[in-house]
Amino acid sequence: MELGPTGKAILGTLSFGPKTGYEIKSMVDRSTRFFWAASYGQIYPELRRLADAGLIEGTDAPQGGRQRKEYRLTGAGHEALLRWLDSPPETYEMRHEGMLKVFFAGGLEPAGQVQRLRDMAEQHRRKVSALREVEEAAGKSPDSLPYLVLRFGIESNEWIADWCEREAAARWNRVAAPRT
Amino acid sequence: MELGPTGKAILGTLSFGPKTGYEIKSMVDRSTRFFWAASYGQIYPELRRLADAGLIEGTDAPQGGRQRKEYRLTGAGHEALLRWLDSPPETYEMRHEGMLKVFFAGGLEPAGQVQRLRDMAEQHRRKVSALREVEEAAGKSPDSLPYLVLRFGIESNEWIADWCEREAAARWNRVAAPRT
DNA sequence: ATTCTCATGTAATTGGTTACATGATTGC
DNA sequence: GCAATCATGTAACCAATTACATGAGAAT
């Protein structure tokens, strides 16, 4: 069976233990979201498909009168996860509107061009803050891979923000300042 | 009129001069593709929509018996582009399967975990090579924004590759080597 | 002759978000 | 009593890729 994008995230998340669709969503939001998102509209239908394919198993586990279905990996699901993990990656895509604006910003005045770079810097700084909050809430665990990935998020966004600020300053000096 | 993702790329590309759908595609592939892609299946229908909305204008410009339609910005299109350019960015998304694998790689042996990091490094090194080829073909033009963005692609992918190699080495020393 | 590049377009499918509908439990 | 959180799910819509169908001109 071919694993779709959201299926990969679900199997991976369930490898940390049984979860409901709701819990999967909130775990994804707190961890992989900045490079691999998933919405309810993808998660619930995909849970059903994975269950039909025998990779996960759902059991009713209501709390009080509250409907609740917990899913866990089956043997086949665990194998599928390992097969996927143990192969080189394929997908790497980006949609970065800030960069696109910089690319086409030649029609703006120098101040506007520089502003687009600063916007980008700010956007990435905000991302750093958000990830740092996750870090504080979850605590630092130097050997864990999820923590490694979190650090990647923090450090890469920091690098990008620094880069944008550096280039904004350089551009301001070269292009705008000499005219004024 | 709300500008869709591909519409933004089209208007921007046309701001460098009139182009056919085919030319737009190949320009995007050589420039914004690494952070903003577009396929024929998006471009041609979008060209029609933009023309219907009066933002671009298409004129038949066949070469010999070869069908060919050249589009250029209208006044309204130019304004729409500036309006979009002159506002802070929204979209910033990633789909990074390599990172996702690292995140869930705890079930692999240490050698496998490290290998996933090295895979990522290699993937980003390849991206650097591809972008460097673009750089050589196009030449360096220090003041141009498209060139600035290209440098961003090269330098950021280099940073990521370095990061992955550094972390792969660190992890190998801490986790794997002590055991052997 | 054959392949490559230029050129336009559509159809099928996949992937994804957003908004909606519904309802129970918990904490203030 | 009310808001927040837990919980499941669907429908409408939007975005995008892939593959296909077609054909001319240029280069080898």
Side-chain angles (χ1 to χ4, degrees):
Chain A
M1 189 221 184
E2 285 304 307
L3 230 38
T6 303
K8 294 166 186 174
I10 290 177
L11 290 192
T13 303
L14 291 182
S15 75
F16 293 126
K19 273 168 194 56
T20 66
Y22 183 85
E23 286 166 341
I24 291 171
K25 171 80 162 81
S26 65
M27 188 182 159
V28 163
D29 281 346
R30 273 177 290 113
S31 57
T32 71
R33 188 179 183 249
F34 75 90
F35 64 91
W36 201 278
S39 64
Y40 289 127
Q42 282 292 108
I43 289 170
Y44 284 110
E46 185 69 15
L47 281 171
R48 169 173 291 260
R49 275 191 297 273
L50 291 171
D52 288 348
L55 301 183
I56 63 175
E57 211 171 34
T59 47
D60 284 314
Q63 273 184 354
R66 190 196 269 161
Q67 182 182 188
R68 197 164 167 280
K69 209 188 253 174
E70 235 175 31
Y71 291 91
R72 60 190 160 72
L73 289 183
T74 62
H78 197 247
E79 271 170 48
L81 176 63
L82 285 179
R83 248 196 327 277
W84 169 69
L85 279 176
D86 210 8
S87 62
E90 307 99 53
T91 305
Y92 174 53
E93 282 159 47
M94 250 208 274
R95 271 269 129 148
H96 198 313
E97 193 167 2
M99 262 296 136
L100 194 68
K101 287 190 181 183
V102 171
F103 190 91
F104 293 127
L108 299 181
E109 295 182 4
Q113 303 176 11
V114 168
Q115 190 51 48
R116 292 289 79 75
L117 281 166
R118 289 205 229 276
D119 288 344
M120 258 191 70
E122 214 202 299
Q123 191 176 37
H124 287 278
R125 290 270 178 240
R126 272 197 302 272
K127 185 62 84 174
V128 171
S129 307
L131 294 173
R132 276 206 197 289
E133 273 177 42
V134 172
E135 189 188 25
E136 270 185 37
K140 307 185 182 186
S141 42
D143 277 355
S144 105
L145 291 164
Y147 181 64
L148 179 72
V149 169
L150 179 59
R151 276 208 302 110
F152 173 80
I154 293 170
E155 292 171 26
S156 61
N157 278 286
E158 220 148 39
W159 184 90
I160 295 174
D162 288 347
W163 187 93
C164 291
E165 274 163 19
R166 211 162 52 234
E167 294 297 335
R171 195 163 188 84
W172 184 249
N173 289 331
R174 267 189 303 122
V175 180
R179 294 195 192 178
T180 54
Chain B
M1 187 223 184
E2 286 304 306
L3 229 37
T6 303
K8 295 164 185 174
I10 291 177
L11 290 193
T13 303
L14 291 181
S15 75
F16 294 125
K19 273 166 193 57
T20 66
Y22 184 84
E23 287 165 340
I24 291 170
K25 171 80 162 84
S26 65
M27 188 182 160
V28 163
D29 281 345
R30 274 177 288 113
S31 58
T32 71
R33 189 179 182 251
F34 75 91
F35 63 94
W36 201 276
S39 64
Y40 288 127
Q42 282 293 107
I43 290 170
Y44 283 111
E46 185 70 14
L47 281 171
R48 168 173 291 259
R49 274 192 297 271
L50 291 170
D52 289 347
L55 301 183
I56 63 176
E57 209 172 36
T59 48
D60 283 315
Q63 275 186 352
R66 189 196 271 162
Q67 181 184 189
R68 195 164 169 280
K69 206 187 256 174
E70 236 173 32
Y71 292 90
R72 60 189 159 74
L73 289 183
T74 62
H78 198 248
E79 270 170 48
L81 176 63
L82 286 180
R83 246 195 328 276
W84 169 70
L85 278 176
D86 209 8
S87 62
E90 308 99 52
T91 304
Y92 175 54
E93 281 159 46
M94 250 208 274
R95 273 263 131 149
H96 198 313
E97 193 167 1
M99 261 297 135
L100 195 68
K101 287 190 181 183
V102 171
F103 190 91
F104 294 126
L108 299 180
E109 294 182 5
Q113 302 177 12
V114 168
Q115 190 51 49
R116 291 291 76 78
L117 281 166
R118 288 204 229 278
D119 289 344
M120 258 191 71
E122 214 201 301
Q123 191 177 35
H124 287 278
R125 291 269 176 240
R126 274 198 301 273
K127 184 63 83 177
V128 171
S129 306
L131 294 173
R132 276 206 196 290
E133 273 178 42
V134 172
E135 188 188 26
E136 271 186 34
K140 307 184 183 188
S141 41
D143 277 354
S144 105
L145 291 165
Y147 181 64
L148 179 71
V149 169
L150 179 59
R151 277 206 303 109
F152 172 80
I154 293 171
E155 293 171 26
S156 61
N157 278 285
E158 221 150 37
W159 184 90
I160 295 174
D162 289 347
W163 187 93
C164 291
E165 274 163 20
R166 212 161 51 234
E167 294 296 336
R171 195 164 186 84
W172 184 249
N173 289 332
R174 267 188 303 122
V175 179
R179 294 197 193 177
T180 54

